[in-house]
Amino acid sequence: MQNEQLLQEVGLNAYEAAAYLSLLKLGVSEASDIYRDSEVPYGKIYSVLESLVGKGFVEVQASRPKKFRAVDPELALDTFFERKKAEVEREMALLKNSVEEAKEALKAVPTQKRKDEFFWTTAITESEIKKFAVSIYSEVKKSVCVLPPVFGISIVFYLLPEITKAIDRGVQIKLMISPRFMALASMLSHQEGEILEKLKKGLDIRLVQNSNSCFGIVDDSIVVLFQPHPTDRDRVLSVVKVRDSGLAKNLKEEFELLWNAGKKLDLQEELEDKQNPGKN
């Protein structure tokens, strides 16, 4: 049963797996012998064997009656894999073309926006919050301004691939952190060279001493609000994403006030200090 299950996981159906295993055991055989050993219904045995021939698992001798032989498993499976791989690559190429065509076509769909347009979504679990964060950095076009909570350190680490992609697209990222967020420098110091260089050039970081606020502004139109747990501010209760240009504008003004009062953080120096603790 285990071998049949393995063959089904590869891509054979239950009857094909049973017939192929019987042929491996019996050697060259007629259909009647295979159906008795494999318990494949006699009315289906020929179609099952023909399918196995087509998939490269069985060879057929055009005699009367026909005889069948199992192809060596290593050869059959390698051939089947390469064939499936080629099919998937063709399907992915077609899908990619269709996706690009759909992108271009959907750009032309007119969108009616009301001046009072307001929309919000909430994430509560850690997995939902991570999806939120990934979607934000995947969609951002111009800028991200964020004052993250301490519990956001692990999220930043998880987001590094998306952050570097955003930097490659020319997105301006302003990160305003509290002293308790400085552990981020230690995490960044362990990144690979190419990623680290992008972060040094693309992240504008400032240190702010006193702030009870935790929020972000994306493309001057989306606001991200972090809600800490009422009994433990190092734990997240929820994250809310609000699409509201008016709210974004107001919070951007607050962010800029804090930003101008903050101390510019040289990521290069911070990383060097973490990598060479005895330097000073």
Side-chain angles (χ1 to χ4, degrees), residues 139-154:
E139 296 172 8
V140 61
K141 294 179 173 61
K142 297 184 298 182
S143 65
V144 176
C145 300
V146 60
L147 177 55
V150 174
F151 54 69
I153 293 178
S154 60

Side-chain angles (χ1 to χ4, degrees), residues 106-143:
L106 295 177
K107 284 180 183 178
V109 176
T111 302
Q112 294 182 358
K113 292 185 178 180
R114 294 192 295 266
K115 291 183 179 180
D116 60 345
E117 186 175 58
F118 180 88
F119 185 81
W120 58 267
T121 49
T122 304
I124 298 176
T125 66
E126 183 178 351
S127 62
E128 288 177 346
I129 292 169
K130 285 181 177 179
K131 287 180 183 178
F132 248 43
V134 168
S135 70
I136 287 170
Y137 278 93
S138 299
E139 296 172 8
V140 61
K141 294 179 173 61
K142 297 184 298 182
S143 65

Side-chain angles (χ1 to χ4, degrees), residues 6 9 23 53 104 107 111 134 136 157 161 180 224 266-267:
L6 287 171
E9 290 174 358
L23 263 177
V53 171
E104 292 302 315
K107 284 180 183 178
T111 302
V134 168
I136 287 170
F157 185 73
R180 295 183 65 196
V224 180
D266 190 321
L267 186 56

Side-chain angles (χ1 to χ4, degrees), residues 32-58:
S32 57
D33 298 321
I34 301 165
Y35 108 85
R36 279 192 291 268
D37 185 81
S38 65
E39 298 183 355
V40 174
Y42 188 75
K44 294 183 178 293
I45 191 63
Y46 280 101
S47 62
V48 168
L49 290 169
E50 287 173 6
S51 179
L52 286 169
V53 171
K55 292 179 178 179
F57 283 85
V58 169

Side-chain angles (χ1 to χ4, degrees), residues 244-255:
D244 185 343
S245 298
L247 179 60
K249 180 181 178 181
N250 292 337
L251 283 179
K252 183 70 176 290
E253 292 173 357
E254 180 180 343
F255 184 91

Side-chain angles (χ1 to χ4, degrees), residues 35 68 231 265:
Y35 108 85
F68 300 88
T231 61
L265 195 70

Side-chain angles (χ1 to χ4, degrees), residues 7 66 72 82 84 97 131 140 144 215 217 223 229 246 259 262:
L7 287 171
K66 290 181 178 180
D72 178 83
E82 292 300 326
K84 284 291 183 182
N97 290 336
K131 287 180 183 178
V140 61
V144 176
F215 61 88
I217 306 104
V223 172
H229 195 280
W259 182 260

